[in-house]
Amino acid sequence: MSRRRHSDENDGGQPHKRRRTSEPIEIEDRLESLICRVGEKSTSSLESNLEGLAGVLEADLPNYKNKILRILCTVARLLPEKLTVYSTLVGLLNARNYNFGGEFVESMIRQLKETLKSNLYDEALYLVRFLSDLVNCHVIAAPSMVAMFENFISVVQEQDGPQVRCDWYVYAVLSSLPWVGKELYEKKDVEMERILNQIESYLKRRQKIHVPMLQVWTAEKPHPQEEYLDCLFAQVQKMKKDRWQERHILRPYIAFDSVLCEALQHNLPPFTPPPHSEDAVYPMPKVIFRMFDYTDAPEGPVMPGSHSVERFVIEENLHYIIKSHWRERKTCAAQLLSYPGKNKIPLNYHIVEVIFGELFQLPQPPHIDVMYTTLLIELCKLQPGSLPQVLAQATEMMYMRLDTMNTTCIDRFLNWFSHHLSNFQFRWSWDDWSDCLTQDLDKPKPKFVKEVLEKSMRLSYHQRIVDIVPANFSALIPANPIFVYKYMDESSSSLPGYPVTIAISNAIINRSSNDEILTILKDVPNPNQEDDDDEGDSFNPLKIDVFLQTLLHMAAKSFSHSFSALAKFHEVLKSLTDSDEGKLHILRVVYEAWRNHPQMISVLIDKMIRTQIVDCAAVANWIFSPDMAHDFTRFYVWEILHSTVRKMNKHVQKIQKELETAKEKLEKQHSRKKDSGDEEEDKNSDEEDGLLEEQIERLQEKVESAQSEQKNLFLVIFQRFIMMLTEHLVRCETGGVDFNTPWYKNCIERLQQIFLMHHQTIQQYMVTLENLLFTAELDHHILAVYQQFCALQM
């Protein structure tokens, strides 16, 4: 009996012990959940939720103060869409516990310094904005906030700092004013006036060479594409003129004014912006994307004007929502559509404009392109009665403005549009775009429709595309993606090498080895060689023709058949492409055989680079060769080039990482040897060190070789661009015709695209590019692109 009672006590005691050890963790998790979810859907009002949460946190402060501080600092940095909710919460806690308020402010300043040091400028921006809103909640004294802004603006007086550094500090001040401008002007109007005058003076002298490179449209009508600081300054000036009134920021602290105004305020500790360092990576400048104004949304609420601060606030909040939820498209779409104050604005128009603004952002969108497609599809599902119409209106407007649209943005537009159509049975009012049928095929509109149909075919099949578009669009329908085999039948028997193709075909069917295939190819005559010339190893284009045409023809059934064929006869292909001419010719043969199937060309070239049958420089030379002049402005050609450059960059990064890992390993061994006094162990360690040092030496050589190859690739690309554009400009000048043709626009914007898409890598080779290619003697139209690129990180 007593034994059982004893075990009962144990049974009862053990879980009680476990509960006590896990209880703090449970409470911490509960606190995190309560803080993170405040302000979300609830039966109670936001104000009562905040008051309740402030009470709970105040009670938990004695035991969990550090945890609460950490959570509040994190949400201030990572959930900017709920900025005023959390600033109110901090205000309520400060009113109840002054010391906690002081510790929170100090933690925020510490965090701000860390984010600036770590190049996390977006997060630093949210922290500055949060601190400024704490002025409204009577946590921070207005004069100390003004002093901090004065320190920020002092950066524009620096002599040696880059412009992008000054831009960030100016933007941090300006973008906080919609929240705190009124309060600061009431308390410190003279100092605020001085700050705005300094900003205006800086904006007037600031260089804006970079703007054309970042604009989605070159035309200023119907909506000017303004530089982001100019636009924000105009919005703040209008807000100042309207006595700092704005109607779109949720301000829950107003309801607690009687409580908050009694609270003691804290002065910010002196904050000096950290000095500029070489490894600082400041955000690039932007151009504000504008697609709609109040005339485009005739029914319902009026859209705020482009220079009203409400437009800035709404767009900022929508960007925040996308940034917080982009990985979960359903949540993201629902959050966008439940935007607070949605009844006061034409929300669907704002959402569509913000999404396209991000998708078309140069040099790169904030998130992967496909995210925007899936988000728009989700929004259409949630608002089937209204959002698809706004999206169709936006698509129509972009189509109408294709003539002045940046080529990189056209690429993204056609990628999005074809993917979107594939999710809605490819339904579209094609007849509305029949104006493109009367234009030259190289003009932007017919070119766009043709590329959209070709991209749609990748997501469907040829006959489906033929069926969905009207018959009068036949000229724009992509070719049937069939293999073009020049040794197809008896009529080709007069072609040189025809008998060998039959022998090759039989050898492949009979599963002959690579050596046997090479033996058959030995007898192929070399058209580049005289009969009495004995140099058997020189480049023979006919060998490549007969073998590759036959191999690809036999494997034409699918991508996987083609990949298997390349893998099986890799040795033969490597021996045929020993020389640079061989590599170029193999690409020509792939193009001739699959010219009706651009996707197959892309994937085969990708495979050939991976298996080192061809190299990256050969692909670049082939793209700029006269053989490709007919397809030079086609979308798939640039897809191949960018994919090639990316592969080269990844290859260099991979070897650099291996080298860094080996160096770290050696360093660890050295420190271990210092700590150890064991002679036997030291002896083994010396041997390991020797092996590692050899490995590091080999990797160092590989890195240097890969970087040399990478630099050579960019030199080839830029040299070919310069040659083609210079020839075009000279030809037009000699003939007395306008140089600004559709081909020229496409080519010069493709040059911009190379700079923008690979800017981080290209910056390593700026000195070489400036000394060898982009010299002062170069035509100013081409040189302007290089100067715009340099200005991006100035």
Side-chain angles (χ1 to χ4, degrees), residues 21-301:
T21 55
S22 66
E23 200 172 312
I25 295 165
E26 282 175 22
I27 292 174
E28 286 179 8
D29 289 346
R30 183 175 63 85
L31 286 173
E32 193 167 323
S33 174
L34 283 171
I35 293 170
C36 291
R37 293 174 65 182
V38 69
E40 291 176 14
K41 281 184 182 176
S42 165
T43 48
S44 316
S45 69
L46 174 60
E47 286 75 14
S48 66
N49 284 342
L50 279 169
E51 198 161 13
L53 179 58
V56 170
L57 295 180
E58 187 193 8
D60 282 327
L61 276 180
N63 299 320
Y64 301 102
K65 184 179 70 179
N66 289 340
K67 177 71 178 176
I68 292 167
L69 271 174
R70 199 160 56 247
I71 297 170
L72 286 173
C73 284
T74 304
V75 293
R77 194 179 84 244
L78 299 180
L79 295 177
E81 67 271 28
K82 291 182 5 185
L83 183 158
T84 55
V85 173
Y86 291 123
S87 63
T88 306
L89 178 60
V90 172
L92 291 171
L93 286 169
N94 179 63
R96 295 166 187 228
N97 187 323
Y98 176 74
N99 288 340
F100 175 80
E103 285 182 55
F104 176 77
V105 171
E106 282 172 17
S107 298
M108 287 286 282
I109 291 294
R110 256 197 317 275
Q111 194 170 218
L112 177 59
K113 286 176 179 171
E114 282 162 20
T115 51
L116 288 172
K117 200 173 168 185
S118 310
N119 289 326
L120 299 169
Y121 287 97
D122 279 353
E123 291 180 17
L125 193 69
Y126 305 149
L127 293 173
V128 173
R129 216 170 278 176
F130 195 97
L131 288 168
S132 69
D133 203 44
L134 289 179
V135 174
N136 296 318
C137 303
H138 297 267
V139 177
I140 290 173
S144 71
M145 195 73 225
V146 172
M148 185 179 182
F149 282 170
E150 283 173 333
N151 285 346
F152 274 28
I153 295 304
S154 68
V155 170
V156 304
Q157 308 300 334
E158 292 173 356
Q159 296 303 311
D160 51 352
Q163 181 173 289
V164 280
R165 169 178 163 83
C166 303
D167 285 356
W168 187 84
Y169 283 100
V170 168
Y171 185 75
V173 173
L174 283 176
S175 64
S176 300
L177 294 181
W179 280 263
V180 77
K182 187 179 183 187
E183 191 74 14
L184 296 185
Y185 243 84
E186 282 174 4
K187 303 274 188 350
K188 291 292 223 179
D189 58 335
V190 176
E191 290 83 348
M192 286 304 297
E193 197 64 52
R194 190 164 59 241
I195 286 173
L196 285 182
N197 288 338
Q198 283 176 294
I199 290 174
E200 186 172 18
S201 163
Y202 168 69
L203 293 181
K204 280 177 181 169
R205 67 174 189 270
R206 183 170 164 264
Q207 292 285 332
K208 283 182 273 195
I209 305 166
H210 58 273
V211 173
M213 201 174 220
L214 300 178
Q215 287 178 319
V216 175
W217 286 292
T218 52
E220 288 294 304
K221 289 182 179 179
H223 310 295
Q225 306 297 301
E226 288 179 288
E227 217 272 348
Y228 79 123
L229 280 181
D230 290 344
C231 184
L232 179 55
F233 186 69
Q235 289 166 330
V236 168
Q237 288 287 62
K238 186 175 184 306
M239 188 188 185
K240 181 188 159 197
K241 193 178 164 188
D242 296 339
R243 300 186 179 187
W244 299 99
Q245 296 301 314
E246 66 72 42
R247 298 171 191 81
H248 281 277
I249 295 175
L250 177 74
R251 297 184 188 267
Y253 37 77
I254 291 169
F256 300 104
D257 193 50
S258 57
V259 177
L260 297 176
C261 71
E262 296 296 318
L264 293 169
Q265 294 174 312
H266 304 268
N267 284 318
L268 284 169
F271 183 87
T272 308
H276 171 61
S277 64
E278 286 307 309
D279 56 350
V281 183
Y282 300 101
M284 278 195 177
K286 291 180 291 196
V287 167
I288 299 299
F289 178 77
R290 288 276 177 260
M291 187 193 286
F292 297 126
D293 60 26
Y294 67 95
T295 59
D296 298 309
E299 294 169 15

Side-chain angles (χ1 to χ4, degrees), residues 4 46 50 94-95 161 213 251 367 370 457 516 701 704 745:
R4 187 182 295 164
L46 174 60
L50 279 169
N94 179 63
M213 201 174 220
R251 297 184 188 267
H367 313 293
V370 75
M457 190 171 72
E516 287 167 325
E701 284 170 16
E704 284 167 16
K745 178 184 180 292

